[in-house]
Amino acid sequence: MTFSTEQSITFECETGNYHTFCPISCVSWLYQKIEDSFFLVIGTKTCGYFLQNAMGVMIFAEPRYAMAELEEGDISAQLNDYEELKRLCLQIKKDRQPGVIFWIGTCTTEIIKMDLEGIAPKLETDISIPIIVARANGLDYAFTQGEDTVLAAMAHRCPDSKDIADVCQDQVNLRPDLVVFGSMPESVVNQLTYELDKQNINITGWLPSARYSDLPVIQKGSYVVGVNPFLSRTATTLMRRRKTKLIGAPFPIGPDGTRAWIEKICKIFEVEPKGLEERETEVWNSLRKYTALIKNKSVFFMGDNLLEISLARFLIRCGMIVYEIGIPYMDKRYQGAELALLEQTCINMKVKVPKIVEKPDNYNQIDRIRDLQPDLVITGMAHANPLEARGINTKWSVEFTFAQIHGFTNAKDILELVTRPIRRNNNLSELGSQVYSTAD
Amino acid sequence: MKLAYWMYAGPAHIGTLRIASSFKNVHAIMHAPLGDDYFNVMKSMLERDRNFTPVTASVVDRHVLARGSQEKVINNITRKDKEEKPDLVILTPTCTSSILQEDLQNFVSRASIETKADVILADVNHYRVNELQASDRTLEQIVSFYVSKYKKLDLLNLEKTERPSVNIIGIVSLGFHSQHDLVDLKRLFNDLDIEINQIIPENASVHDLKNLTQAWFNFVPYREAGLLTAQFLHDEYGIPYVDKTPMGLINIKETVISIQDLLQKFGCHRDYSDYLTVQTKYISQAAWFSRSIDCQNLTGKTAIVFGDSTHAAAMTKILAREMGINVLWSGTYCTHDAEWFRLQVESLCSEVIITEDHNVVGDMIAKTAPNAIFGTQMERHIGKRLNIPCGVISSPVHIQNFPLSYKPFLGYEGTNQIADLVYNSFTLGMEDHLLDLFGGHDTTEILNDTLSSSENITWSVEALKELSKIPGFVRGKVKRNTEKFAIKKRCSAIDLAIMYEAKEKAND
């Protein structure tokens, strides 16, 4: 096991044998976010089984999603894809009357080269419901990147200024538009909007919006900024296809990240940030109860949801020592500002810059965890119980994607999650041995 | 293409993985894209497994699509061989690898030259079989592989044990209460003075499979996994098997009698009748419970049953023949086992439902409005929606179906557990109605629950008042029956007289 000794980030790439959720899981939060949507996952029983089990009780609440389960006749092209999809979409239209239908392509549609992008426009006019195609498959993407493929596809559908030509030009303020991208619960949208509002910066639109019919206007020359680290494709699409300007900022996770995010936006709009330092200090003060618990404790990110860099940066600022940042995919350009803040945070906190391991190998990681005995491992459910049985504290990584972690207000929620195993240990200290494993 | 929201049985590879992860020191390698290793999460979460699930993926990504797996699968197999030193590696195809049509058998042959472990390719087709069928097939495949291997090496132990002995076949990880069932099965065989030769696949070592043929007979408690294996051992080595499920008193008796008859053929004379009587009367409380005054109230109550074929069939029998409950219909999602299931329950209920579509099940429940449901997690949620109590009796499972305390469904302790489950499901309904009775009457509800709005039927004030005295959970039914009766009589106004007449003649 080697540590990087320099004060600059080292990147490694392993075998890609790691556990993560299939990107079609994005359906579970996106159908809730986009209220008039219906998600049709075109795949096999395997996809359906995953969604049904991963979504737990949500499945029983008549969700606005379904599988178009491919049968042998579909695979061998004995059935006509267009006719089959038409039949299903008409049924969805009849039963649910959605404002938009998303087709989620899967591994199988990739392999049999089903031309979803080709079929969609034709069917769209036939049944007069917009159909958006996103290829969120496990051949190419991991977990949260599913949302990225959906938002990238939606970016094409955002109305242009041409579409709103009747809006009086004189109403357009002097400042260019600012569109924020990334799916957030409504309360987080409001909180971040409020924070920018205080700096006198107005968010003109949010991708995605709560309803498909309210997609934001995106004009050439508009500014766009991301709230989540896994949205590289969306950023690329907005820049290249919609000719917008990307504000490269750290992500608003933790009070440090939120402040840096706002400051960067202020800088672009040439606004002197007001009261941000006080706001940040105030939040840090309110977190003392938690930071005291984790100061100088070590953490190991196995890597499965792409939030890892931002979370590691925040936890280092909280006083933790990060041994390893595993991550499925590392876009050094899109995450550039976040990486720079990570480096700076390490210098400020006087700790070594952790090694970033892209496409990690879980087997090797568990070997390293055995050697390092970190105080906390942030990992998927496949490894959590076995590690706990070996006396290693774990936090289930997927919770970070479902909890509200953005902005000043929610920094506490991140630390609630991170400190939970440590607080639990304090409660259970009388039980004695923490090792329950029967093997090795 | 099929529009689907929910499925009862999972995809084929799950069945193979359940078998692989049940054995000791067997490693499964899935030929699958990223994210398909969700099985590990289920095993680790639901069973609260303390150990790492011995399943890894040989990841199929873009490069594999473009150039084929080439050495990747082989390298993954040999790597696992070195790291984990398993006895057996099972290469597991998924829906993705099914359509890639790579020559996985070739990878297996090539890898096994280098590995210490045996390597086999699970013979399952994603598009033809489901989880349950695949688990049955994989277990047979492993057993036949090792039995043949040891036979060739002349290590197969064909000499029968001195005393009567049995193999229990089909205890599989992530099975519905199967760990608890196993404890009760062990107790049962101990009581019957029959040695347990081997239990497979749960916690079994493939090395021990050479002794499998020493057992006098095989026992397959669940129809979903193990029948193919028992059939194979019967055909190849003449080992008879019992495939009855000892769930419920009558089923246990039938099982024990079959075992007694079987031993008879070996010249081993056993008479278990005293044992059965004592157990039924005094050890199990279920028979006495059915006789006790509490259970009298269950007479004529209605229920429906849905689940895998083993549990649904046994449950139907228990409800109908052991507790006197009126089973309106009984069904299974094991469409491949429809014929057997029909034969089992046909005489015990008015209708048999064979379907994999939860919507059909939901509609049937709504239509027949039973007092209680005995089904899977899905039926539990349907019950919640319709306000009908539900006892879960079968997979698909949920973390709640892996209780820490001892809750078998098989054997004599199982009969007690089931009696509690049934009784609690119905009492909940009764409590509900008591609440209704004493907690005030909600007469507004009655008005919305009419047979048909197009029929011009009016209720007199007195009749409505009388109707409101009827317990909530049957009120709708009484109302509809009365209206039906009135229509038959060509009578458009319902008063007390008609109501009473309808009640009297309802059973005509």
Side-chain angles (χ1 to χ4, degrees), chain B residues 178-196:
Chain B
S178 59
Q179 294 301 331
H180 306 269
D181 286 347
L182 180 58
V183 176
D184 230 62
L185 288 177
K186 283 181 183 167
R187 179 189 293 171
L188 181 68
F189 283 113
N190 186 47
D191 289 352
L192 299 179
D193 197 23
I194 293 170
E195 277 172 19
I196 292 173

Side-chain angles (χ1 to χ4, degrees), chain A residues 67-78:
Chain A
M67 291 295 308
E69 195 183 309
L70 299 169
E71 292 168 299
E72 207 162 10
D74 298 303
I75 305 301
S76 53
Q78 283 163 340

Side-chain angles (χ1 to χ4, degrees), chain B residues 486-505:
Chain B
I487 291 166
K488 223 165 88 186
K489 273 198 74 180
R490 294 174 191 287
C491 173
S492 63
I494 296 175
D495 54 18
L496 280 178
I498 300 236
M499 250 187 115
Y500 295 142
E501 203 183 335
K503 192 179 170 191
E504 274 163 37
K505 295 188 177 161

Side-chain angles (χ1 to χ4, degrees), chain A residues 15-23 38 40 42 44-50 52-55 57 59-60 62-63 65-72 74-75 79-81 84-85 87-88 91-92 95-96 107-108 110-114 135 137-142 359 361-364 366 370 380-387 389-390 396 436-440, chain B residues 1-14 18 27 30 32-53 56-65 72 76 79-80 82-84 94-100 125-131 174 356 358-359 377-382 384-385 396-399:
Chain A
T15 61
N17 272 321
Y18 64 102
H19 167 78
T20 183
F21 272 14
C22 173
F38 191 96
L40 185 66
I42 304 160
T44 60
K45 252 186 182 332
T46 306
C47 315
Y49 195 68
F50 163 70
Q52 156 174 337
N53 286 295
M55 286 204 213
V57 288
I59 202 87
F60 299 109
E62 297 231 349
Y65 99 84
M67 291 295 308
E69 195 183 309
L70 299 169
E71 292 168 299
E72 207 162 10
D74 298 303
I75 305 301
L79 298 168
N80 180 300
D81 297 338
E84 290 296 296
L85 284 165
R87 185 170 55 81
L88 265 45
Q91 198 183 328
I92 293 165
D95 296 346
R96 309 287 185 103
C107 302
T108 310
E110 285 298 308
I111 297 169
I112 64 174
K113 301 195 165 45
M114 192 182 278
R135 303 177 176 200
N137 62 70
L139 295 168
D140 300 306
Y141 305 109
K359 288 182 179 293
D361 185 298
N362 281 167
Y363 187 86
N364 297 343
I366 284 164
R370 275 204 186 103
M381 204 51 110
H383 298 115
N385 269 337
L387 284 171
R390 282 154 186 76
W396 187 33
Y436 293 90
S437 159
T438 48
D440 57 54
Chain B
M1 272 180 219
K2 202 167 77 182
L3 199 60
Y5 299 86
W6 165 271
M7 66 186 91
Y8 285 102
H13 70 268
I14 298 287
R18 284 177 61 193
H27 201 100
M30 300 167 69
L34 199 64
D36 272 5
D37 57 352
Y38 190 73
F39 177 79
N40 298 31
V41 175
M42 294 185 59
K43 177 109 171 97
S44 175
M45 268 292 279
L46 299 178
E47 289 200 335
R48 300 181 190 85
D49 201 332
R50 300 172 191 214
N51 295 314
F52 293 101
T53 309
T56 39
S58 175
V59 177
V60 175
D61 57 15
R62 265 300 145 187
H63 300 294
V64 171
L65 274 200
K72 196 170 184 178
N76 276 316
R79 180 185 159 186
K80 261 316 137 198
K82 287 194 191 79
E83 285 170 353
E84 307 267 338
T94 58
C95 58
T96 307
S97 57
S98 278
I99 38 178
L100 283 177
N125 180 326
H126 177 91
Y127 295 93
R128 303 269 166 90
V129 297
N130 68 18
E131 169 188 358
L174 290 171
E356 288 176 294
H358 72 90
N359 289 313
Q377 281 294 334
M378 190 37 136
E379 284 69 49
R380 192 169 74 89
H381 284 268
I382 295 170
K384 256 190 194 165
R385 220 169 33 226
V397 282
H398 190 264
I399 193 141

Side-chain angles (χ1 to χ4, degrees), chain B residues 152-168:
Chain B
K152 243 180 251 158
L153 297 170
D154 211 18
L155 290 170
L156 193 64
N157 217 331
L158 287 165
E159 202 180 319
K160 295 287 168 216
T161 54
E162 210 173 304
R163 302 184 53 251
S165 64
V166 62
N167 297 319
I168 301 177

Side-chain angles (χ1 to χ4, degrees), chain B residues 380-423:
Chain B
R380 192 169 74 89
H381 284 268
I382 295 170
K384 256 190 194 165
R385 220 169 33 226
L386 298 172
N387 216 1
I388 302 171
C390 175
V392 176
I393 54 136
S394 156
S395 298
V397 282
H398 190 264
I399 193 141
Q400 287 171 346
N401 304 119
F402 290 89
L404 301 181
S405 56
Y406 179 48
K407 286 195 158 58
F409 273 66
L410 304 190
Y412 285 106
E413 179 53 27
T415 62
N416 294 337
Q417 293 290 340
I418 294 167
D420 276 341
L421 180 78
V422 172
Y423 183 63

Side-chain angles (χ1 to χ4, degrees), chain A residues 97-351:
Chain A
Q97 296 104 27
V100 55
I101 297 176
F102 287 89
W103 285 356
I104 304 295
T106 61
C107 302
T108 310
T109 57
E110 285 298 308
I111 297 169
I112 64 174
K113 301 195 165 45
M114 192 182 278
D115 183 21
L116 297 177
E117 278 95 344
I119 298 173
K122 195 161 162 255
L123 191 56
E124 190 172 271
T125 40
D126 276 9
I127 67 168
S128 50
I129 291 184
I131 295 171
I132 296 181
V133 181
R135 303 177 176 200
N137 62 70
L139 295 168
D140 300 306
Y141 305 109
F143 194 13
T144 49
Q145 287 181 291
E147 175 181 323
D148 193 22
T149 62
V150 173
L151 297 194
M154 284 180 88
H156 291 283
R157 300 297 184 109
C158 292
D160 202 311
S161 54
K162 285 195 290 283
D163 305 328
I164 46 147
D166 48 336
V167 173
C168 311
Q169 280 300 310
D170 52 47
Q171 265 191 0
V172 177
N173 60 26
L174 298 168
R175 219 175 261 163
D177 290 347
L178 174 64
V179 174
V180 185
F181 57 95
S183 168
M184 292 281 132
E186 233 18 57
S187 60
V188 181
V189 168
N190 294 338
Q191 285 157 12
L192 289 176
T193 308
Y194 171 68
E195 295 294 348
L196 284 178
D197 220 33
K198 281 203 287 194
Q199 305 302 333
N200 204 18
I201 291 170
N202 176 32
I203 297 177
T204 37
W206 203 298
L207 175 72
S209 45
R211 297 188 67 82
Y212 175 74
S213 46
D214 298 337
L215 275 185
V217 174
I218 295 178
Q219 314 188 63
K220 190 177 167 187
S222 297
Y223 280 103
V224 292
V225 65
V227 282
N228 264 326
F230 45 77
L231 299 172
S232 340
R233 280 175 67 91
T234 310
T236 313
T237 309
L238 288 169
M239 285 190 293
R240 297 207 183 134
R241 307 295 295 272
R242 303 305 303 257
K243 310 286 179 215
T244 59
K245 286 181 274 190
L246 177 73
I247 302 176
F251 301 99
I253 292 170
D256 47 342
T258 308
R259 178 180 168 189
W261 187 71
I262 296 172
E263 273 179 347
K264 187 63 190 282
I265 296 169
C266 286
K267 197 175 153 207
I268 297 292
F269 286 101
E270 292 167 343
V271 170
E272 185 66 35
K274 283 187 305 250
L276 267 188
E277 203 180 330
E278 294 80 359
R279 183 92 168 97
E280 193 198 346
T281 320
E282 183 188 71
V283 175
W284 282 117
N285 287 340
S286 72
L287 296 177
R288 264 194 211 138
K289 187 178 89 185
Y290 298 101
T291 48
L293 280 172
I294 50 171
K295 197 166 164 48
N296 294 325
K297 290 212 157 61
S298 54
V299 56
F300 189 109
F301 286 88
M302 285 186 75
D304 65 358
N305 58 20
L306 284 95
L307 293 171
E308 292 87 0
I309 306 285
S310 312
L311 288 173
R313 177 260 302 151
F314 169 55
L315 293 182
I316 289 169
R317 177 65 185 75
C318 288
M320 290 189 92
I321 297 146
V322 177
Y323 283 155
E324 174 166 329
I325 309 177
I327 187 167
Y329 168 73
M330 181 73 244
D331 184 336
K332 289 176 200 163
R333 277 179 61 197
Y334 176 63
Q335 295 222 45
E338 183 63 86
L339 287 168
L341 182 61
L342 170 71
E343 227 167 347
Q344 188 56 47
T345 305
C346 290
I347 293 168
N348 294 349
M349 299 302 289
K350 299 193 176 60
V351 291

